[in-house]
Structure formats: structure tokens, C-alpha cells
Amino acid sequence: MASIVSKRLVQQRVSARQVGWDHCRSFTSCPPLSAGHNRWSQIKHGKAKVDKAKSQERQKVAKEISSAIQMSGADPKFNPRLTFALSNAKKAGIPKTVIDAAIARGKGVSATGEALEQVTIEAILPHSVAAVIECQTESKARLLQDIRHVIKEAGGTATPTAYLFEKRGRILFEKKDGFSADDCLDQAIEAGAADISSDGQGRILVFTEPSETNSVGEALSKSAGLAIEELEIIWAPNQDTLVELKDEEQIQEIEELLAELRDEPSVRDIYLNTIQTS
């Protein structure tokens, strides 16, 4: 009788263990992999757009600081444009490391004090878009290898394209209510400007010879009472060689390539001969 009771107790314990084991396996089973997938995709897409905007803002501010120093020196006391650029950087919350690196580049050195070399890379990107890429680097050989690799992987090729562009000085003045390009045409001609117009926001835009960019900007600013917002030397595409991209996929492909190129810290400016991409 005792043996029968003992046997039943053993069976009950085994059954109880089996039930517990099955329950445990059920508890630890994985949920469907698709759960939350759409929400994460939306978050990731939104974050990518925010990160891209921040990156572009940092690049723009850093470029303005470097350009101001190259044009008029590194002392803010004698360089109002640099003072303005540094003020904008602080208002935008740009990290000090980015500002310091931009100041160093303006002086022609890296953040570690190494001398920087100006490098211009010319290329044909996908869909026959010509590009001129301006860089500053302490390692020219590495930079050329990296940039050419990115372009090649995207379906482009490094080849001369500068003949499709013209180097020009570009000066953009802050908007002044009730004041147009016609109102300062005489002053612009006297200052040595080659061309003058207004942009889509009503700001006066002046083009000049590269070597006269700074002097023309200062002269027109003084005579017309205008504040300089941007002053730089650019590669302007020849109008008769512009490439028009109508396909959204082509535009997206070029923009993705530009984003990858701009991720390289040595890249300062990228100029294209297309009116459809930025």
C-alpha cells in the first residue's frame, strides 16, 4: 500500500515539474519581430532628418568662421564679420570643439596644430553632374584616396571639371527694408562689383573678382550702409553647362552622395553644375 502511495506521489511530482517547465517555456517565448517596427522606422527617419539639419548648420557656421578669418584675420576686435560669426555659433549652440576647429582651419592649421593644405578635387558624379570639391587637409594622399573611393562607389569618376565653372567672389548682404539692388547700383559699380542682384529673400547679392571680394564687400557696406551676411569665393557653374535633374530618384541619389562626402571633416565646400540639388 505504501509503495502505491509513494508511486503516486512520484507521478504527481513529475507532472507538476512538467507543468512548471511548460509554463516557463510559454513565459519566455519571443513576441513577433514586427512589433513596434513601424514606430521605430518613423523615429529613425525623423532622427536622421534632425541629425542632417544639425550637421548642415554646424558646417555652415564653421565655414563662416573659417572664411572670416581667411579674409580679415583671426582677431575679432579688427574683424566684425568674425565677431558676428562667433556670436551666431554661440546662439546656435555649436559645440566649442567645432568652433575651435573652425578657427584653426581659418588660420590654416588643424585642431592639433598641423599645417593644412588646400586641395581641390574635380569629378563627374552620377547623371553627368560635374563637381568641384574644396578641402583642407593635413594628409592629402589619404584624403584623395577616401574621396575618390566614395565617388567611385557611387558610380562617378574623378576627372577635370573646373573648366565648367568660373571662380568668383560672392557677397551676400543682410536684408534692409525698402532697399533694393537698384538703390545701390551706382555704389556697387564704384566699389568694383561685376554683378548685382537680389535673392529670393530680398537680400542684395554681389559678385566680383575673387581677389577683390573683401575690398568690394567693405566698400559697398560702407557706402550703402549694408551689413555683410556672407562673403566667400565660390566656383560658379557656367550657365550653358548646367545639368537639370528632373527624376526624384536621381536627385535623391545625388543628395545622398553629397551627404556622404560632407561627412569627411576635410571637405569645406562642394559646387555642382546643377540647379536641382543643394
Side-chain angles (χ1 to χ4, degrees):
M1 183 67 172
S3 62
I4 293 174
V5 172
S6 177
K7 185 175 181 180
R8 287 179 177 175
L9 287 173
V10 170
Q11 290 176 341
Q12 289 174 356
R13 288 171 182 172
V14 171
S15 297
R17 288 176 182 173
Q18 185 64 43
V19 170
W21 173 245
D22 290 342
H23 177 69
C24 182
R25 283 189 299 172
S26 175
F27 181 77
T28 58
S29 61
C30 296
L33 292 176
S34 61
H37 174 71
N38 290 337
R39 180 171 178 271
W40 167 242
S41 296
Q42 294 172 357
I43 293 173
K44 184 169 66 172
H45 180 67
K47 184 178 183 300
K49 291 179 67 176
V50 171
D51 290 344
K52 180 181 178 181
K54 287 183 178 179
S55 177
Q56 290 177 338
E57 182 179 28
R58 288 184 181 184
Q59 187 181 46
K60 180 180 179 181
V61 171
K63 174 186 169 184
E64 178 62 20
I65 292 172
S66 298
S67 297
I69 293 174
Q70 290 172 346
M71 288 289 183
S72 305
D75 191 341
K77 293 181 181 179
F78 304 100
N79 190 343
R81 184 165 163 248
L82 176 59
T83 301
F84 182 71
L86 292 173
S87 175
N88 284 342
K90 292 178 181 179
K91 289 179 181 177
I94 304 299
K96 186 176 183 299
T97 53
V98 175
I99 296 175
D100 290 343
I103 292 174
R105 286 189 174 278
K107 296 177 180 178
V109 297
S110 68
T112 59
E114 295 291 330
L116 294 176
E117 182 179 0
Q118 297 284 345
V119 179
T120 300
I121 301 173
E122 304 168 45
I124 291 292
L125 307 185
H127 315 301
S128 301
V129 174
V132 174
I133 306 169
E134 292 279 17
C135 311
Q136 274 186 315
T137 181
E138 56 190 25
S139 179
K140 180 178 179 179
R142 181 198 61 79
L143 174 68
L144 289 173
Q145 181 179 353
D146 291 348
I147 296 297
R148 287 170 176 170
H149 175 73
V150 171
I151 292 172
K152 183 178 179 181
E153 286 294 303
T157 181
T159 188
T161 56
Y163 66 93
L164 299 171
F165 298 79
E166 178 185 2
K167 211 164 189 179
R168 308 178 73 184
R170 176 182 177 275
I171 310 162
L172 181 66
F173 294 92
E174 292 182 14
K175 183 178 179 180
K176 184 176 180 181
D177 292 337
F179 199 81
S180 68
D182 291 337
D183 295 325
C184 62
L185 182 59
D186 292 339
Q187 293 100 316
I189 294 174
E190 185 176 349
D195 191 17
I196 183 171
S197 62
S198 298
D199 70 355
Q201 300 180 35
R203 297 174 298 183
I204 294 175
L205 180 62
V206 171
F207 289 98
T208 185
E209 292 296 322
S211 61
E212 300 175 358
T213 307
N214 199 42
S215 60
V216 171
E218 290 180 351
L220 187 53
S221 176
K222 184 177 181 180
S223 63
L226 298 171
I228 297 175
E229 183 169 326
E230 295 178 9
L231 184 147
E232 60 183 341
I233 296 174
I234 67 169
W235 288 91
N238 298 329
Q239 294 299 308
D240 58 348
T241 64
L242 289 176
V243 175
E244 185 176 3
L245 299 179
K246 299 179 180 179
D247 189 297
E248 289 296 331
E249 292 184 3
Q250 292 180 349
I251 295 174
Q252 181 65 26
E253 186 178 349
I254 294 296
E255 288 182 342
E256 289 176 357
L257 173 55
L258 294 180
E260 188 172 358
L261 290 171
R262 289 183 179 122
D263 282 341
E264 167 57 55
S266 298
V267 173
R268 295 189 70 247
D269 296 290
I270 303 175
Y271 303 98
L272 306 178
N273 70 334
T274 172
I275 58 175
Q276 294 295 325
T277 57
S278 58

